[in-house]
Amino acid sequence: MKIDGIDHAEFYVGDAQQWAFYLCTVFGFRLAGQAGPETGLTGQRSLLLRQGGTRVLLTSALTPDHPAAEYVRRHGDGVATLAFEVSDAQQAYETVIERGAVSVEKPVVHSRCGTKVVTASVLGFGDVAHRFVQRTGDGDEFLPGLMDMFTDDPEQAEPLISVVDHAAVCLPAGQLDETVSFYEEVFGFSQIFEEFIEVGEQAMNSKVVQSPSGKITFTLIEPVTDRRPGQIDDFLTRHGGAGVQHLALLTDDIVSTVGALEDRGLTFLSTPGSYYDELKRRLGRTDVGMEDLRRTNVLVDSDHWGQVFQIFTRSMHVRQTYFWEVIDRHGARTFGSGNIKALYEAVEREGADV
């Protein structure tokens, strides 16, 4: 079984058109396709957004018995599927089922005018599924026969982001190790990083798993129960169980990207000046100038291979659960310890201001 990367992320949302307007206006995504009853996709409305190599599928239920309706009722708007690009969806599906995965949808073939897409889905964590996607033919077709595609705008701006770098997942206490084992044994991922994080009187455990290709990375987090309940507990309560806390979007110039996104109205979490006062002592020279980092509130850390620059948006979610990250890697393959703690300290400050 060969898993190449993230094919797309599907969000179940109450209003796909509203989400599409926000992501296109603020993040620079473009509307690439649409599907619904008029295209043969019954019970739902789906809009496909693209930017660089990132595809986001927004799905809203049109009937109360559609899975998206129940998902939104339980969790609010959020990531329902993280789809994996594979060379053989049937074989990938059969392999993970033999290894203990729970089926969501058996393999289905979608075809039109020489383009074929095979999909199959299994359950991942919580109510989040993984969809195997095998594509042959026209790469611009997303779901041939069921989705109408739009022509590219010849004057569209250069993309600010390229691909989904990683997904951060909140898990109930006691599920971290079994979830790591699940991805290792069923999908062939490997654990590449782990950390115990303390923020004030609360604490959490974090482990990172990654696909053999290195193109799919999940940061898995669980709260520590003998400490004061904190933001991970808040997420689990408001979301109604395990789920994706944020997706990280990769850019190659985080300072310019943050400036462009702020000009469009996106608001990021702030970072205290003391963080940058300590940065030179902690890291020494940084690839991005200190004044640019301080001005944009971008965090920086390092691993054995290089530096990683990160910043996190304020949550626009009504339940204050889901948010986004922008990340820029200068050789770094994992995550520095300081940035993870700095993120959760920033979320704590935001919560205190609400």
Side-chain angles (χ1 to χ4, degrees):
M1 178 178 61
K2 186 174 184 293
I3 300 176
D4 295 317
I6 295 285
D7 183 89
H8 65 276
E10 181 175 19
F11 289 72
Y12 279 169
V13 297
D15 189 334
Q17 291 182 322
Q18 187 178 60
W19 264 74
F21 178 80
Y22 173 75
L23 290 178
C24 290
T25 302
V26 176
F27 276 92
F29 282 90
R30 67 173 184 83
L31 189 59
Q34 70 91 24
E38 69 280 4
T39 67
L41 198 61
T42 59
Q44 69 183 67
R45 172 78 56 207
S46 290
L47 300 176
L48 177 68
L49 308 184
R50 283 180 175 168
Q51 184 173 182
T54 301
R55 283 184 284 221
V56 171
L57 185 65
L58 305 172
T59 295
S60 291
L62 299 180
T63 58
D65 60 345
H66 189 278
E70 175 61 15
Y71 182 98
V72 172
R73 185 193 70 80
R74 291 186 61 189
H75 307 296
D77 297 350
V79 177
T81 301
L82 291 169
F84 298 162
E85 177 187 347
V86 297
S87 56
D88 189 330
Q90 174 87 35
Q91 185 263 337
Y93 173 83
E94 292 175 352
T95 297
V96 299
I97 292 296
E98 290 175 0
R99 295 175 179 175
V102 175
S103 176
V104 173
E105 182 183 51
K106 293 181 178 180
V108 179
V109 178
H110 311 275
S111 61
R112 178 169 60 188
C113 300
T115 298
K116 184 173 76 170
V117 175
V118 184
T119 63
S121 300
V122 298
L123 194 61
F125 49 85
D127 289 333
V128 176
H130 295 309
R131 177 178 296 132
F132 297 117
V133 184
Q134 171 191 342
R135 301 185 181 277
T136 55
D138 185 356
D140 288 335
E141 283 275 10
F142 183 78
L143 203 60
L146 289 177
M147 175 170 283
D148 291 339
M149 305 302 295
F150 301 142
T151 303
D152 285 350
D153 181 355
E155 298 183 1
Q156 66 186 20
E158 286 296 313
L160 296 173
I161 53 97
S162 54
V163 297
V164 174
D165 180 87
H166 66 273
V169 178
C170 293
L171 300 166
Q175 293 188 12
L176 179 59
D177 288 340
E178 66 182 61
T179 303
V180 170
S181 296
F182 173 75
Y183 280 96
E184 289 175 336
E185 296 167 6
V186 174
F187 293 95
F189 285 26
S190 299
Q191 181 180 318
I192 62 168
F193 187 82
E194 67 177 302
E195 183 178 18
F196 175 75
I197 306 158
E198 292 183 281
V199 178
E201 296 179 1
Q202 60 182 281
M204 61 206 79
N205 290 309
S206 175
K207 294 186 178 183
V208 179
V209 295
Q210 191 174 78
S211 65
S213 68
K215 295 181 180 180
I216 302 176
T217 304
F218 295 156
T219 300
L220 307 171
I221 309 158
E222 69 171 6
V224 174
T225 57
D226 61 358
R227 300 293 187 91
R228 179 178 65 82
Q231 58 194 265
I232 304 302
D233 303 271
D234 290 343
F235 175 95
L236 295 168
T237 299
R238 295 170 183 170
H239 181 78
V244 176
Q245 181 203 51
H246 69 265
L247 294 179
L249 304 175
L250 185 67
T251 182
D252 60 6
D253 185 347
I254 195 166
V255 171
S256 295
T257 297
V258 168
L261 293 175
E262 287 182 326
D263 287 344
R264 295 175 176 178
L266 190 61
T267 305
F268 293 94
L269 296 178
S270 62
T271 305
S274 57
Y275 172 88
Y276 300 100
D277 295 338
E278 291 292 318
L279 199 54
K280 185 173 182 180
R281 178 192 62 78
R282 183 165 63 87
L283 287 184
R285 189 189 69 83
T286 56
D287 294 348
V288 177
M290 193 67 66
E291 289 308 309
D292 285 334
L293 295 176
R294 189 186 293 267
R295 173 173 53 83
T296 56
N297 289 292
V298 169
L299 308 172
V300 56
D301 220 319
S302 64
D303 64 9
H304 294 299
W305 298 276
Q307 294 182 345
V308 57
F309 299 83
Q310 299 166 275
I311 192 169
F312 305 86
T313 71
R314 290 184 180 272
S315 178
M316 298 299 293
H317 198 289
V318 66
R319 300 191 188 189
Q320 292 290 294
T321 49
Y322 182 81
F323 56 90
W324 297 87
E325 173 185 346
V326 178
I327 186 169
D328 185 358
R329 293 186 179 275
H330 290 208
R333 302 178 190 175
T334 59
F335 305 91
S337 300
N339 277 4
I340 298 175
K341 182 175 181 180
L343 161 63
Y344 290 101
E345 289 174 339
V347 174
E348 284 293 291
R349 289 192 298 274
E350 180 186 27
D353 293 339
V354 172

